[in-house]
Each structure stands twice: as structure tokens, then as C-alpha cells.
Amino acid sequence: MTSPIDAARRPRRDALENRAGILAAAHVALAHDPRASVDAIARQAGLSRRALYGHFDDRDALVRELVAQGAARFNAVAASIDDADPRLALARLAASLWNEAAHVQVLAAIALDEAHLEETATALAPLRRTVVRIVRDGQDADVLRTDVAGPTLARLVEETARTVITRIDASSPAARDLAVRAVLSIAGLSWREAGTLLGEHPEILATPAMPATPATPATPSEAAGA
Amino acid sequence: MTSPIDAARRPRRDALENRAGILAAAHVALAHDPRASVDAIARQAGLSRRALYGHFDDRDALVRELVAQGAARFNAVAASIDDADPRLALARLAASLWNEAAHVQVLAAIALDEAHLEETATALAPLRRTVVRIVRDGQDADVLRTDVAGPTLARLVEETARTVITRIDASSPAARDLAVRAVLSIAGLSWREAGTLLGEHPEILATPAMPATPATPATPSEAAGA
DNA sequence: ATTAACTTGCACACCACTGTGCAAGTTATC
DNA sequence: GATAACTTGCACAGTGGTGTGCAAGTTAAT
């Protein structure tokens, strides 16, 4: 089936692995320091700086791919929220995003530091729209605070989630708990109300249903079989 | 009285003004971009890059002075809080810090971006201790949330204040209001409780008692007399 | 076994920035 | 009005980064 043209254009397997390795390395390096050098990233991926430029035109291209990757995950999370109760929707959204903490770190770092502001903003637009919708519904139903205008509250929720996930402990067992409670508090609930709500829906804080962390999505070993 | 030695060592008046101008320019420039170049700062102050190095040994020395300035203000604010009710203490602290918003911006920017982490941390230690104390008292008196450990809650309060002040609108009339309510919410109060509390103590959200903004604290004119 | 893909290391030009030396000009101060 | 303080502009060396070209080596795929 594979025409000679396809065969000629298909990249070598090791090249694909290396490309994925670069992205993974960039993930780590940029989360730690959003302006890590191309050399540092390449080296962390076990490659030379020169080889990296064989995979990405540009430092910018690499960053853009990372942003796209993260945005896709976030927006998938946003789309999966379907609770009728806006309070539960918020809680579940926060919990789900916490599971993507590693990606939040990179995105947040890039968004804050670099000149990629517009880019990340558009990439995350669906997630933002979800938050806005939940907040609006919650205010209409009078279950979320109404002393703060809708758009402002949405922004506040977003910033709170980002802050807690990126700037507090990061991966302690209680961190997800904290992220969820912080968001509910900012949304207007008292801490006891939040506690009651979470007590009634223990699945929100339960260990993630998702399969651990598929950190390296493109590991060739299992595909190769034997 | 002025001994010849003093006279010889006293800097020229325009030099003092220029030094203050550099600090003001750095204030603006670094809040906008924490790694603004020395040239950009000097130019914004209406001086040449070369002249700046006549006033500060080093880019670092300039930043350090800025940090010290800000820290002094913050710690003065922290020391001025004396409410018996921890909830009021928190609210007033947030409101007072909002009045120093401009300084918060620079400090936060510097603290986040540069390698001045330890420096800013030690400079702000008194403020941090104040928050820890208020939170502890509040938890002991059962008026603040107890589902989050004290140190964590203190950190959360601090991050919330920083986030709201530096990342939301910045200077709208409702911004102080928002900062105060966000802090109370994070501390565990429901939005209605916070509203009631603030309604009972309108002075917290009233226009600041302090005289506008004494932007240039070290004007030599009044000290010189006549 | 051959071929094309991939990687490496090096050299290079380029950029933006820091910090310093120095000669020449301007300006507050006595 | 003399003097010392201050500023300017320029040149310079140094640092750390980006992106490219090229020759030589290695390695996956056919």
C-alpha cells in the first residue's frame, strides 16, 4: 500500500522518538524555567542543539507545539464536565485540571513569561468559555456568589486554580483537595458548605479514574510487541 | 555646622533627583517587565545608561534597593494591623496592601522572575509572620477555616492577595473591594458572611486614610529647610 | 549492502545585554 | 568664575543566547 513517495517521506523511527523526547524534555525544562535555552532542552533530551533544529524550525515552533499539546488536554477536560449543579461542575473541573498539573505548569509558565500571551489565550479559549458558562449558570441559580460580576468571578476562579496548582506544593497528596476547596471558596461557598458538598460527592476527590499518567504517549516498545 | 568634609561629600542636588528618578523609572519598568534592561530603565529616567552606573554599582544593586523600599512599606503595613478579630485583621491587611498595589507589582515581578527569591523572601518575612499569626489566631478562635493546615492557609491567603492585586484589573475602583472579598473567601467565609462583616465595618473599604501617594519619599527640600 | 535519514561537532554571523575606561561637555555650588 | 560633581557618548571586552552551513560519522530501512 505504501507508495514509494510515502515511504520516502516517512521519518525514521528513532527520529520520531527523538522528536517526542525533545518535547518531553522541553516540558520539564520550561516548566522549571520558562526561558530555558535550546541547548539546555536538547541536552536534557540527550541530543545536540544542532539536532533539535532538525526537528523544529525554531525555538518558537517548539514552544507552540507544547502549547497546542497542553491546550488540547485542557479543552478535553473542559468538554467532559457535565454536572447540572454549577458548584459540582466547578469542583470537578478543578479536580480534573489538577490531574493535568504537569501541563498546567508549562502552560502557565509559558503564558506568564514569554511573548506567547495571545497564543496561549486563544488556545485556552474553550476552557475559559466553560468557566464563564458555569459561573453564569451558578449566579443565575443563586448558588454562587453574586457580589462579583460574572466575568470577573470567572477570571478570579481561573486565577485561583492556576495559582493553587502552580504555586502550592504541586504534588502532595492533599494538593488536589486544596485546589478544589480553594476554587469553591472563591466562588462564594463557606468552607463548611464546601466540605458538605464534597462529602456528598466523594468521587470528585477520589483517586483519578484516568490511568495514572500516560507521560510518554508515543513509547514504541508496546507497539512493537515481539 | 557643615564641616568641609560633609560639604565635600554631599552629593549635588540634581544627582539626588536623578537617583530618585532612576528608582522611579525602575519601579515602572520592572513592574511591566521584570527583566527590563539597564538601558531601558535609564532612558525612561531621562538619563544615559552610563550615568546610571554612576549611581548604582550594578543592576543588582538597583533591584536590591527597590526590594528594600517595597519591603519597608509592606512591613509598616503589617505592623499597623491591630484588630482583635482575625477576620477583620485579614480584611484590613488586604485593603492596606491594595493601597500599596504599585509596590506589590514590582516586588511580585522581581520575586517571581529573577534570582532574587531569597532576598525578597527575607525582606518580606515580617509580613509573612503577621499573616501566619492572624491565621493561627483565627483558627484557634474558630472563625477561620480549619480544614486546611495553618501554614498552608497562610500561604494560600498570601498567594490569593498577590494574585488578585497583581493580575486583576489593578486599579479599577472595585479592585480593593475584590481583593478584600477574595481573601476573606479563601480564609473560609461564605460570600454573604464576608458581605455582612464588611457592612459592619465600612471603614475598611472606605477611601484610604493615607495621604494619596507620597511617591518620592526622600525629597531633600524639606530636610534642607532654609 | 546500499541508501537515505539522521546526528554530531564545529565554525560562523548575529543579536542583546552588562559593566568599564576615558575624554569632552554641562551645571550646581562655593 | 573657578571647581568639582555630574552627565554624555563612544569604544571596548565579555557573556550567553539564536539560527545556519557543512563535512563526517552513525544507523534505520529496504
Side-chain angles (χ1 to χ4, degrees), chain B:
Chain B
M1 284 303 177
T2 57
S3 76
I5 300 177
D6 282 355
R9 290 196 181 167
R10 172 159 44 236
R12 253 163 63 171
R13 185 149 36 90
D14 58 341
L16 285 179
E17 284 166 21
N18 286 339
R19 190 173 199 280
I22 291 170
L23 283 169
H27 209 286
V28 173
L30 294 181
H32 177 67
D33 171 15
R35 50 187 200 285
S37 72
V38 171
D39 188 72
I41 295 170
R43 212 158 288 279
Q44 181 148 1
L47 292 180
S48 70
R49 187 171 70 97
R50 197 61 189 76
L52 190 150
Y53 282 107
H55 292 282
F56 299 92
D57 282 356
D58 211 82
R59 190 182 190 284
D60 226 57
L62 173 55
V63 172
R64 261 183 281 116
E65 180 126 355
L66 230 44
V67 170
Q69 266 191 9
R73 300 184 74 117
F74 288 176
N75 295 329
V77 164
S80 76
I81 304 295
D82 60 350
D83 294 81
D85 183 339
R87 300 170 306 167
L88 289 178
L90 266 191
R92 207 179 300 275
L93 185 57
S96 302
L97 283 178
W98 188 90
N99 294 338
E100 305 283 332
H103 294 265
V104 181
Q105 317 264 1
V106 201
L107 264 285
I110 294 173
L112 282 185
D113 182 88
E114 312 235 348
H116 297 265
L117 288 172
E118 318 147 23
E119 194 181 346
T120 51
T122 60
L124 291 176
L127 179 54
R128 287 218 162 96
R129 274 198 297 275
T130 300
V131 175
V132 168
R133 179 178 52 74
I134 294 174
V135 164
R136 186 168 1 88
D137 291 351
Q139 290 184 322
D140 289 349
D142 207 35
V143 295
L144 297 186
R145 77 191 312 160
T146 52
D147 59 342
V148 174
T152 306
L153 182 53
R155 179 86 198 284
L156 201 52
V157 165
E158 183 189 327
E159 292 288 345
T160 300
R162 195 185 50 72
T163 298
V164 177
I165 294 178
T166 63
R167 292 189 56 79
I168 310 272
D169 53 36
S171 63
S172 102
R176 189 198 297 118
D177 202 278
L178 187 62
V180 173
R181 288 179 201 272
V183 165
L184 289 178
S185 289
I186 275 295
L189 277 67
S190 76
W191 70 275
R192 291 188 208 275
E193 288 165 354
T196 303
L197 190 73
L198 293 173
E200 290 167 358
H201 298 270
E203 80 282 2
I204 293 180
L205 290 183
T207 313
M210 310 185 107
T213 327
T216 333
T219 318
S221 47
E222 54 258 56

Side-chain angles (χ1 to χ4, degrees), chain A residues 118-204:
Chain A
E118 318 148 22
E119 196 181 344
T120 51
T122 60
L124 291 176
L127 179 54
R128 288 218 162 97
R129 273 198 298 274
T130 300
V131 175
V132 168
R133 180 178 51 74
I134 294 174
V135 164
R136 186 168 1 90
D137 290 352
Q139 291 185 320
D140 288 350
D142 208 35
V143 293
L144 297 187
R145 78 192 309 160
T146 51
D147 58 342
V148 173
T152 306
L153 182 52
R155 179 85 197 284
L156 200 51
V157 165
E158 183 188 328
E159 292 288 344
T160 300
R162 196 184 50 71
T163 298
V164 177
I165 294 179
T166 62
R167 293 189 56 79
I168 311 272
D169 52 37
S171 62
S172 104
R176 189 199 295 117
D177 203 277
L178 187 64
V180 173
R181 288 179 201 273
V183 165
L184 289 178
S185 289
I186 275 296
L189 277 67
S190 77
W191 70 275
R192 290 188 208 274
E193 287 165 354
T196 303
L197 191 72
L198 293 173
E200 290 167 358
H201 298 269
E203 80 282 3
I204 292 180

Side-chain angles (χ1 to χ4, degrees), chain A residues 89-122:
Chain A
L90 267 191
R92 208 179 301 275
L93 185 57
S96 303
L97 283 179
W98 188 90
N99 294 338
E100 305 284 332
H103 294 265
V104 181
Q105 318 264 1
V106 201
L107 263 285
I110 294 173
L112 283 184
D113 182 89
E114 312 236 348
H116 297 264
L117 288 171
E118 318 148 22
E119 196 181 344
T120 51
T122 60

